[in-house]
């Protein structure tokens, strides 16, 4: 009477809700602390209309990242993009699951310069539970969620979120958000979203936020990443990766695992692309 | 008497009268629509023993006509681990 094997479409919102419950179950069994963020984990007070996102975002206590990575893989989650290649910030790793879709596991949140473990504690200080498909999941307090959404908007120019949580916020709420932003040492990214970024020209991550929030060439992004790295060791690590091919990105572009020949071809195509970037930048500069 | 309950490792989401129920954390997701969704809700609301009569009343169908199908459906849910049968006393005691 119950045919669980037949293919029936499941609405995205349902998949996300059940997916959050699935991820939380894995985290609970492993004893891993997780905060559910963005999408359908956003408090209705801050959520734009019915925006629920397209994937699941979680922030993980940094010392538990390796453990949760192992447990997710044990339960059918496959790595879709890694910390190294996923974004200029190296903040999240994406996993895909045949039933639940995608989850972004954040080991820190871009724009926050405070030590990730201390930032996790701060973002979880006023946390409360939101129930997904019967499973209690921890979400940050409303002010903490607002700060996360503003910092998120700095990367994608998410107008509706920014309007709702910052531009339309009462003065008292704005003061609370700014206080938290200062405690998280996140003023540069915050200014990239809300205005006044130029006041931070001397900060190491200024150029990165300039490129991310306003756009720029790939080579400009790489230079900004190197400059934003807090230590010499991290700078060298980024520089070492510059000539490597992003195989994950190439796989997603091709829709399959690239052949050795395609990886070699991409390796030689990238300097040409960077050269193209440079020529375009110069042409713009002359105008 | 028997009460039917949702096991701890099963997630349930109801949207627009459709019940989506899944084993956590691995799935799959089972979709219960129409009469299946109705029986799911009724099954959790009272004793298993009088479930056919409650479904019969709600659907205006003779109880002897539906009792077997309702029982098979519940057995299937139990077999799949999507529901759990417990004594009413144990459920009342929490």
């Amino acid at each position: 009477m119950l045919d669980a094997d037949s293919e029936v479409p499941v609405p995205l919102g349902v998949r996300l809700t059940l997916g959050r419950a699935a991820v939380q179950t894995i985290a609970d069994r492993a004893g891993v602390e997780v905060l559910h963020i963005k999408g359908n984990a956003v408090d209705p007070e801050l959520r734009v209309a019915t925006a629920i996102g397209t994937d699941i975002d979680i922030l993980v206590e940094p010392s538990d990242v390796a453990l949760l990575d192992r447990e997710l893989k044990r339960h059918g989650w496959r790595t879709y993009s890694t910390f190294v290649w996923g974004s200029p910030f190296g903040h999240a790793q994406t996993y895909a699951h045949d039933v639940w879709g995608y989850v972004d596991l954040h080991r820190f949140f871009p724009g926050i310069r405070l030590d990730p473990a201390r930032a996790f504690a701060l973002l979880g200080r006023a946390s409360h539970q939101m129930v997904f498909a019967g499973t209690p999941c921890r979400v940050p307090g409303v002010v903490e969620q607002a700060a996360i959404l503003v910092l998120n908007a700095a990367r994608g120019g998410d107008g509706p979120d920014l309007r709702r949580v910052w531009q339309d916020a009462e003065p008292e709420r704005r003061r609370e958000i700014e206080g938290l932003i200062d405690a998280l040492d996140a003023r540069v990214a915050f200014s990239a979203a809300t205005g006044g970024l130029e006041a931070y020209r001397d900060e190491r991550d200024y150029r990165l936020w300039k490129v991310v929030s306003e756009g720029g060439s790939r080579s400009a992004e790489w230079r900004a990443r190197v400059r934003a790295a807090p230590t010499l060791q991290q700078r060298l690590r980024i520089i070492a990766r510059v000539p490597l091919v992003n195989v994950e990105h190439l796989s997603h572009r091709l829709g399959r695992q690239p052949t050795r020949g395609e990886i070699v071809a991409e390796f030689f195509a990238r300097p040409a692309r960077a050269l193209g970037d440079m020529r375009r930048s110069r042409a713009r500069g002359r105008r | 008497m028997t009460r039917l309950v949702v096991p701890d490792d099963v997630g349930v989401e109801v949207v627009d009268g459709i019940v989506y129920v899944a084993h956590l954390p691995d799935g799959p997701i089972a979709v219960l629509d129409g009469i299946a969704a109705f029986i799911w809700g009724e099954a959790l609301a009272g004793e298993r023993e009088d479930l056919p009569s409650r479904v019969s009343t709600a659907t205006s169908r003779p109880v002897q006509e539906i009792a077997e199908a309702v029982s098979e459906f519940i057995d299937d849910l139990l077999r799949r681990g999507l529901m759990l049968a417990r004594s009413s006393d144990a459920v009342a005691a929490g």
Side-chain angles (χ1 to χ4, degrees):
Chain A
M1 190 162 178
L2 179 68
D3 186 3
D5 302 325
S6 63
E7 292 285 325
V8 180
V10 176
L12 176 64
V14 171
R15 205 176 281 278
L16 292 173
T17 296
L18 287 165
R20 283 206 188 267
V23 170
Q24 186 62 51
T25 301
I26 293 171
D28 284 344
R29 289 181 187 173
V32 171
E33 273 199 73
V34 165
L35 286 169
H36 290 253
I37 56 171
K38 297 166 62 177
N40 61 348
V42 171
D43 193 280
E45 182 193 329
L46 300 175
R47 204 182 298 168
V48 177
T50 51
I52 54 165
T54 54
D55 55 13
I56 299 160
D57 290 276
I58 53 168
L59 185 63
V60 182
E61 211 294 319
S63 62
D64 286 337
V65 166
L67 175 57
L68 188 57
D69 171 76
R70 219 166 31 243
E71 289 303 307
L72 285 171
K73 286 172 181 163
R74 221 165 56 78
H75 286 280
W77 292 87
R78 301 176 305 279
T79 311
Y80 181 78
S81 69
T82 58
F83 289 118
V84 173
W85 294 109
S87 89
F89 299 95
H91 65 290
Q93 184 147 292
T94 304
Y95 301 81
H97 193 283
D98 291 339
V99 176
W100 315 118
Y102 295 91
V103 63
D104 279 347
L105 186 160
H106 295 61
R107 57 182 174 180
F108 63 86
F109 203 82
I112 296 175
R113 303 197 305 192
L114 184 69
D115 163 71
R118 289 172 62 200
F120 182 85
L122 205 50
L123 290 170
R125 66 184 176 179
S127 67
H128 57 277
Q129 288 186 336
M130 207 180 231
V131 176
F132 290 96
T135 304
C137 299
R138 231 175 120 210
V139 299
V142 175
V143 172
E144 288 73 14
Q145 289 186 30
I148 287 171
L149 291 174
V150 174
L151 294 176
N152 194 54
R155 277 184 292 149
D158 202 336
D161 266 348
L162 195 59
R163 253 197 312 280
R164 177 111 186 186
V165 304
W166 177 251
Q167 290 159 354
D168 295 345
E170 297 293 327
E172 175 60 24
R173 171 59 56 81
R174 279 186 172 214
R175 274 193 293 278
E176 290 173 328
I177 294 171
E178 286 194 277
L180 178 61
I181 289 293
D182 286 336
L184 293 167
D185 192 11
R187 270 285 170 185
V188 182
F190 180 77
S191 301
T194 60
L197 179 61
E198 295 309 312
Y200 298 93
R201 290 185 72 89
D202 296 334
E203 295 292 328
R204 61 176 164 77
D205 50 348
Y206 160 79
R207 281 182 195 279
L208 184 53
W209 284 103
K210 181 99 175 152
V211 171
V212 167
S213 60
E214 297 176 10
S217 66
R218 277 182 59 81
S219 45
E221 182 189 299
W222 275 104
R223 281 198 302 275
R225 284 181 68 174
V226 172
R227 194 183 153 139
T231 65
L232 178 63
Q233 195 185 18
Q234 282 170 293
R235 282 181 185 197
L236 292 174
R237 211 175 289 150
I238 293 168
I239 290 168
R241 278 203 302 269
V242 172
L244 301 179
V245 171
N246 184 342
V247 178
E248 288 164 16
H249 180 71
L250 185 59
S251 306
H252 300 156
R253 217 171 67 205
L254 297 171
R256 57 178 166 74
Q257 205 53 29
T259 63
R260 189 181 288 268
E262 284 166 336
I263 294 172
V264 171
E266 179 71 7
F267 178 82
F268 288 109
R270 289 186 67 225
R273 212 171 289 149
L275 196 62
D277 274 352
M278 208 164 73
R279 282 184 185 141
R280 276 193 294 279
S281 300
R282 283 184 182 161
R284 272 200 299 273
R286 275 202 295 271
R287 259 178 238 140
Chain B
M1 298 295 269
T2 310
R3 286 297 300 257
L4 296 163
V5 296
V6 178
D8 288 343
D9 63 348
V10 168
V12 182
E13 181 72 352
V14 183
V15 176
D16 297 333
I18 302 174
V19 179
Y20 301 88
V21 52
H23 276 291
L24 301 175
D26 300 325
I29 303 172
V31 183
L32 310 180
D33 200 355
I35 189 66
F38 175 76
I39 298 172
W40 170 275
E42 276 300 316
L44 298 174
E47 314 280 357
R48 176 175 183 174
E49 289 75 7
D50 60 18
L51 177 62
S53 72
R54 285 184 281 126
V55 175
S56 160
T57 306
T59 58
S60 306
R61 304 288 291 271
V63 70
Q64 60 273 26
E65 194 180 290
I66 61 156
E68 194 180 331
V70 170
S71 184
E72 273 178 22
F73 177 63
I74 296 299
D75 286 343
D76 197 13
L77 291 171
L78 291 169
R79 216 169 18 248
R80 290 174 188 271
L82 296 173
M83 268 189 182
L84 205 60
R86 296 179 66 189
S87 81
S88 298
D89 293 343
V91 173

